[in-house]
Short mmCIF file of all heavy atoms in Angstrom, two decimals:
data_model
loop_
_atom_site.label_atom_id
_atom_site.label_comp_id
_atom_site.label_asym_id
_atom_site.label_seq_id
_atom_site.Cartn_x
_atom_site.Cartn_y
_atom_site.Cartn_z
N SER A 1 0.85 -1.21 0.04
CA SER A 1 -0.03 0.02 0.03
C SER A 1 0.85 1.28 0.02
O SER A 1 2.02 1.24 0.31
CB SER A 1 -0.92 0.03 1.28
OG SER A 1 -0.22 0.24 2.41
N ASP A 2 0.27 2.38 -0.33
CA ASP A 2 0.92 3.61 -0.29
C ASP A 2 1.45 3.94 1.13
O ASP A 2 2.63 4.41 1.25
CB ASP A 2 0.07 4.76 -0.74
CG ASP A 2 -0.27 4.69 -2.19
OD1 ASP A 2 0.45 4.09 -2.92
OD2 ASP A 2 -1.38 5.28 -2.60
N ALA A 3 0.71 3.63 2.13
CA ALA A 3 1.11 3.89 3.51
C ALA A 3 2.32 2.90 3.95
O ALA A 3 3.22 3.44 4.60
CB ALA A 3 -0.03 3.55 4.50
N GLU A 4 2.33 1.75 3.48
CA GLU A 4 3.47 0.78 3.72
C GLU A 4 4.75 1.34 3.05
O GLU A 4 5.76 1.32 3.60
CB GLU A 4 3.15 -0.66 3.33
CG GLU A 4 2.10 -1.23 4.17
CD GLU A 4 1.57 -2.51 3.64
OE1 GLU A 4 1.40 -2.59 2.32
OE2 GLU A 4 1.28 -3.45 4.39
N ARG A 5 4.60 1.72 1.81
CA ARG A 5 5.74 2.24 1.09
C ARG A 5 6.31 3.54 1.77
O ARG A 5 7.47 3.66 1.85
CB ARG A 5 5.30 2.56 -0.39
CG ARG A 5 6.42 2.80 -1.32
CD ARG A 5 5.92 3.02 -2.73
NE ARG A 5 6.93 2.92 -3.67
CZ ARG A 5 6.87 2.79 -4.91
NH1 ARG A 5 5.64 2.85 -5.45
NH2 ARG A 5 7.84 2.88 -5.71
N ALA A 6 5.42 4.37 2.22
CA ALA A 6 5.81 5.64 2.88
C ALA A 6 6.52 5.32 4.14
O ALA A 6 7.50 5.92 4.51
CB ALA A 6 4.56 6.56 3.14
N ALA A 7 6.00 4.28 4.89
CA ALA A 7 6.61 3.87 6.20
C ALA A 7 8.10 3.41 5.90
O ALA A 7 9.02 3.70 6.70
CB ALA A 7 5.86 2.78 6.90
N VAL A 8 8.29 2.62 4.84
CA VAL A 8 9.65 2.10 4.51
C VAL A 8 10.55 3.32 4.21
O VAL A 8 11.70 3.34 4.51
CB VAL A 8 9.59 1.03 3.47
CG1 VAL A 8 11.00 0.59 3.07
CG2 VAL A 8 8.80 -0.23 3.96
N ARG A 9 10.01 4.25 3.37
CA ARG A 9 10.78 5.43 3.03
C ARG A 9 11.17 6.14 4.23
O ARG A 9 12.28 6.70 4.36
CB ARG A 9 9.94 6.33 2.08
CG ARG A 9 9.87 5.85 0.68
CD ARG A 9 11.15 6.27 -0.13
NE ARG A 9 10.93 5.92 -1.44
CZ ARG A 9 11.90 5.50 -2.27
NH1 ARG A 9 13.11 5.43 -1.84
NH2 ARG A 9 11.66 5.14 -3.53
N ALA A 10 10.26 6.30 5.22
CA ALA A 10 10.60 7.10 6.53
C ALA A 10 11.71 6.35 7.27
O ALA A 10 12.58 7.00 7.84
CB ALA A 10 9.34 7.18 7.34
N ILE A 11 11.71 5.03 7.26
CA ILE A 11 12.72 4.23 7.96
C ILE A 11 14.07 4.49 7.20
O ILE A 11 15.12 4.72 7.87
CB ILE A 11 12.46 2.82 7.90
CG1 ILE A 11 11.25 2.46 8.87
CG2 ILE A 11 13.63 1.90 8.37
CD1 ILE A 11 10.66 1.11 8.73
N GLU A 12 14.02 4.55 5.88
CA GLU A 12 15.31 4.80 5.13
C GLU A 12 15.82 6.20 5.38
O GLU A 12 17.04 6.32 5.62
CB GLU A 12 14.90 4.59 3.63
CG GLU A 12 16.12 4.84 2.70
CD GLU A 12 15.74 4.73 1.22
OE1 GLU A 12 14.73 5.39 0.81
OE2 GLU A 12 16.42 4.02 0.53
N ARG A 13 14.89 7.13 5.41
CA ARG A 13 15.34 8.52 5.63
C ARG A 13 15.88 8.71 7.03
O ARG A 13 16.84 9.49 7.27
CB ARG A 13 14.19 9.52 5.43
CG ARG A 13 13.87 9.84 4.07
CD ARG A 13 12.87 11.03 3.88
NE ARG A 13 11.64 10.81 4.54
CZ ARG A 13 10.57 10.17 4.01
NH1 ARG A 13 10.61 9.69 2.78
NH2 ARG A 13 9.47 10.05 4.76
N ALA A 14 15.36 7.95 7.96
CA ALA A 14 15.89 8.06 9.39
C ALA A 14 17.14 7.22 9.56
O ALA A 14 17.67 7.14 10.69
CB ALA A 14 14.84 7.53 10.38
N ASP A 15 17.62 6.54 8.56
CA ASP A 15 18.77 5.72 8.52
C ASP A 15 18.53 4.52 9.52
O ASP A 15 19.49 4.12 10.20
CB ASP A 15 20.06 6.48 8.86
CG ASP A 15 21.31 5.77 8.38
OD1 ASP A 15 21.26 5.00 7.46
OD2 ASP A 15 22.40 5.98 8.99
N GLY A 16 17.29 4.08 9.60
CA GLY A 16 16.97 3.00 10.50
C GLY A 16 16.94 1.60 9.95
O GLY A 16 16.69 0.71 10.65
N ALA A 17 17.40 1.50 8.69
CA ALA A 17 17.36 0.18 8.01
C ALA A 17 18.77 -0.51 8.24
O ALA A 17 19.76 0.20 8.11
CB ALA A 17 17.03 0.31 6.51
N ASP A 18 18.77 -1.75 8.49
CA ASP A 18 20.05 -2.53 8.60
C ASP A 18 20.74 -2.76 7.24
O ASP A 18 21.89 -2.93 7.18
CB ASP A 18 19.79 -3.80 9.31
CG ASP A 18 19.40 -3.65 10.78
OD1 ASP A 18 19.70 -2.66 11.39
OD2 ASP A 18 18.82 -4.58 11.30
N ASP A 19 19.89 -2.76 6.19
CA ASP A 19 20.34 -3.09 4.86
C ASP A 19 20.05 -1.94 3.96
O ASP A 19 19.12 -1.10 4.22
CB ASP A 19 19.73 -4.35 4.32
CG ASP A 19 20.11 -5.59 5.18
OD1 ASP A 19 21.28 -5.72 5.52
OD2 ASP A 19 19.21 -6.37 5.50
N ASP A 20 20.64 -1.93 2.76
CA ASP A 20 20.41 -0.99 1.69
C ASP A 20 18.99 -1.38 1.13
O ASP A 20 18.71 -2.53 0.80
CB ASP A 20 21.45 -1.12 0.52
CG ASP A 20 21.15 -0.13 -0.55
OD1 ASP A 20 20.29 0.76 -0.42
OD2 ASP A 20 21.84 -0.30 -1.55
N LEU A 21 18.04 -0.45 1.03
CA LEU A 21 16.67 -0.69 0.58
C LEU A 21 16.48 -0.47 -0.89
O LEU A 21 15.37 -0.53 -1.37
CB LEU A 21 15.76 0.22 1.37
CG LEU A 21 15.69 -0.10 2.86
CD1 LEU A 21 14.85 0.89 3.61
CD2 LEU A 21 15.24 -1.50 3.13
N ALA A 22 17.57 -0.25 -1.60
CA ALA A 22 17.42 0.01 -3.12
C ALA A 22 16.81 -1.10 -3.84
O ALA A 22 15.85 -0.90 -4.64
CB ALA A 22 18.78 0.36 -3.74
N ALA A 23 17.12 -2.38 -3.47
CA ALA A 23 16.53 -3.47 -4.13
C ALA A 23 15.07 -3.63 -3.78
O ALA A 23 14.29 -4.03 -4.66
CB ALA A 23 17.27 -4.79 -3.68
N PHE A 24 14.68 -3.27 -2.60
CA PHE A 24 13.25 -3.30 -2.17
C PHE A 24 12.51 -2.34 -3.02
O PHE A 24 11.46 -2.67 -3.61
CB PHE A 24 13.15 -2.92 -0.70
CG PHE A 24 11.69 -2.70 -0.28
CD1 PHE A 24 10.87 -3.79 -0.02
CD2 PHE A 24 11.16 -1.43 -0.23
CE1 PHE A 24 9.57 -3.56 0.40
CE2 PHE A 24 9.88 -1.20 0.13
CZ PHE A 24 9.07 -2.25 0.44
N PHE A 25 12.98 -1.11 -3.16
CA PHE A 25 12.28 -0.13 -3.96
C PHE A 25 12.24 -0.41 -5.39
O PHE A 25 11.30 -0.14 -6.12
CB PHE A 25 12.74 1.29 -3.61
CG PHE A 25 12.32 1.78 -2.22
CD1 PHE A 25 13.28 1.96 -1.24
CD2 PHE A 25 10.99 2.08 -1.95
CE1 PHE A 25 12.85 2.37 0.05
CE2 PHE A 25 10.52 2.46 -0.71
CZ PHE A 25 11.55 2.64 0.28
N ALA A 26 13.32 -1.06 -5.91
CA ALA A 26 13.33 -1.40 -7.33
C ALA A 26 12.27 -2.43 -7.67
O ALA A 26 11.71 -2.41 -8.78
CB ALA A 26 14.72 -1.99 -7.67
#
């Protein structure tokens, strides 16, 4: 959903992800 995608973007912006999220967004 748009909300789930936005939540993952927020985690990425906050540098809260353990891994690079480029593959996820691709």
